[in-house]
Amino acid sequence: MPRWTADAVGLIGGYLLDAALGDPRRLHPVAGYGTAAAALERRLYRPHRRAGTAYTAIAVGVPVLAGLAAARATRNRPVARAAVTAAATWTVLGGRTLRREARIMAGHLEAGDLQAARGRLGHLCGRDPSALDEPELARATVESVAENTSDAVVAPLFWGALLGPAGLLGYRAANTLDAMVGHRSERYARFGTPAARLDDLLNLAPSRVTGVVTAAVSPVAGGSVRETLRVWRRDRGDHPSPNAGQCESAMAGALGVRLGGRNVYFGRSEVRPLLGDGPRPSAGHLRRAARVSGAVGVVALGMAAALAAARGLITAGGGGGGAGPEGPHKTMTPVRRSRR
């Protein structure tokens, strides 16, 4: 195997493993990371940003260093490098699980089983489901599928293509911290800000790629590329998140539905602007959203593999020691449940 193809092959292999197997049922590495991050939080927590910055630096820095060490150890062994990248990719992706949750929710709503649907919503987001009816449960699911298509598929592939195993592990670590401490609450108002800002920064490019690709693949769900782009351009800046609006507005356009409104969490509520035109989502829209998410993932994989191969070829041509940025001539200056 040529050295410059190692990361590209690894990304494809890891994506196929996720598509075939999904998340491990037990002993998921991301769950183990979450346990370790929670233990670190108990030791470092103080109600100010300095403590949050130190916490974020350690909790993200350790996985990045582990990824760099693995990349350096395999820099002259492309088969081993591809295997390491594939394992890291499978660990951090959540596309199959995301699509499965959407279809399970669709089944509950189609059967009229609101109790089961409310109980299942916690697998996707942090809203209080106790008073949600079918349209609101469907809306929460569509919004979570849209956002997590970027967070759990496009963004990991993007950073894996740019930085190899270090990018994969570092992105997932940062995204997991955001879900743990990056939300608005009295405890995390200051401590969680650095993790939330880092996650926002790492998702700036992937979320916009997700919006554009969602428009491109919208015909798989009966949507129109032109209409999806129109809604995306019009509504993407209305969302309070710099990234979620990119994904949600595009999904709203692709499905021809209206998203946004009042979200009730445990102990607080938020009113979000409306995105898209048309009716509120229903059970049938969830299966279409899953199809869009899957198509976006396939396109993002092709883009990421091409980017990784190009990066590796440039590195190899420049005399670097491997397929990634850890070569001697290169220098470098982490399905999560949405906190929605």
Side-chain angles (χ1 to χ4, degrees), residues 19-318:
L21 304 176
D23 292 332
R25 297 285 184 175
R26 300 175 60 188
L27 303 177
H28 195 299
V30 175
Y33 170 80
T35 300
L40 180 64
E41 179 195 342
R42 289 193 293 270
R43 296 182 64 88
L44 296 183
Y45 177 81
R46 301 291 187 278
H48 51 69
R49 292 188 183 185
R50 291 191 303 276
T53 299
Y55 170 70
T56 302
I58 295 170
V60 177
V62 170
V64 168
L65 291 174
L68 289 172
R72 175 169 285 277
T74 58
R75 61 182 176 174
N76 293 317
R77 295 185 291 166
V79 173
R81 172 60 175 263
V84 166
T85 302
T89 303
W90 180 31
T91 295
V92 304
L93 290 184
R96 178 186 171 97
T97 297
L98 180 63
R99 296 189 298 273
R100 184 180 71 238
E101 289 298 328
R103 294 183 181 116
I104 290 173
M105 182 67 77
H108 290 325
L109 294 180
E110 288 165 350
D113 192 345
L114 291 184
Q115 182 176 356
R118 289 166 179 159
R120 196 75 191 185
L121 188 63
H123 291 251
L124 285 166
C125 64
R127 300 182 200 180
D128 182 355
S130 59
L132 298 185
D133 57 10
E134 177 185 339
E136 285 300 296
L137 288 164
R139 176 172 73 87
T141 302
V142 169
E143 291 173 354
S144 294
V145 168
E147 183 181 359
N148 282 297
T149 296
S150 179
D151 288 358
V153 182
V154 177
L157 292 172
F158 176 86
W159 288 107
L162 284 180
L163 300 175
L168 290 161
L169 299 180
Y171 171 77
R172 178 50 63 206
N175 192 240
T176 301
L177 287 191
D178 180 52
M180 294 174 64
V181 306
H183 47 85
R184 298 185 184 96
S185 68
E186 183 177 352
R187 177 176 175 83
Y188 296 125
R190 293 179 176 81
F191 180 82
T193 297
R197 295 293 178 266
L198 177 60
D199 182 71
D200 286 344
L201 178 64
L202 294 179
N203 280 292
L204 282 175
S207 64
R208 284 148 181 80
V209 171
T210 301
V212 173
V213 175
T214 296
V217 305
S218 59
V220 304
S224 160
V225 175
R226 178 178 294 182
E227 175 65 11
T228 303
L229 285 174
R230 183 188 70 82
V231 173
W232 175 66
R233 291 191 185 107
R234 185 192 69 190
D235 295 346
R236 58 182 173 167
D238 292 343
H239 199 285
S241 164
N243 301 316
Q246 302 285 332
C247 313
E248 293 181 19
S249 61
M251 185 67 81
L255 301 182
V257 298
R258 189 173 74 253
L259 302 177
R262 183 169 177 261
N263 295 344
V264 178
Y265 302 92
F266 295 91
R268 62 188 177 89
S269 65
E270 298 178 6
V271 177
R272 302 287 173 82
L274 299 179
L275 307 175
D277 305 310
R280 286 300 202 185
S282 61
H285 292 110
L286 305 191
R287 299 188 188 278
R288 292 169 59 195
R291 289 200 297 273
V292 171
S293 180
V296 169
V298 171
V299 174
L301 174 64
M303 296 168 65
L307 177 58
R311 174 178 57 80
L313 184 59
I314 292 169
T315 303

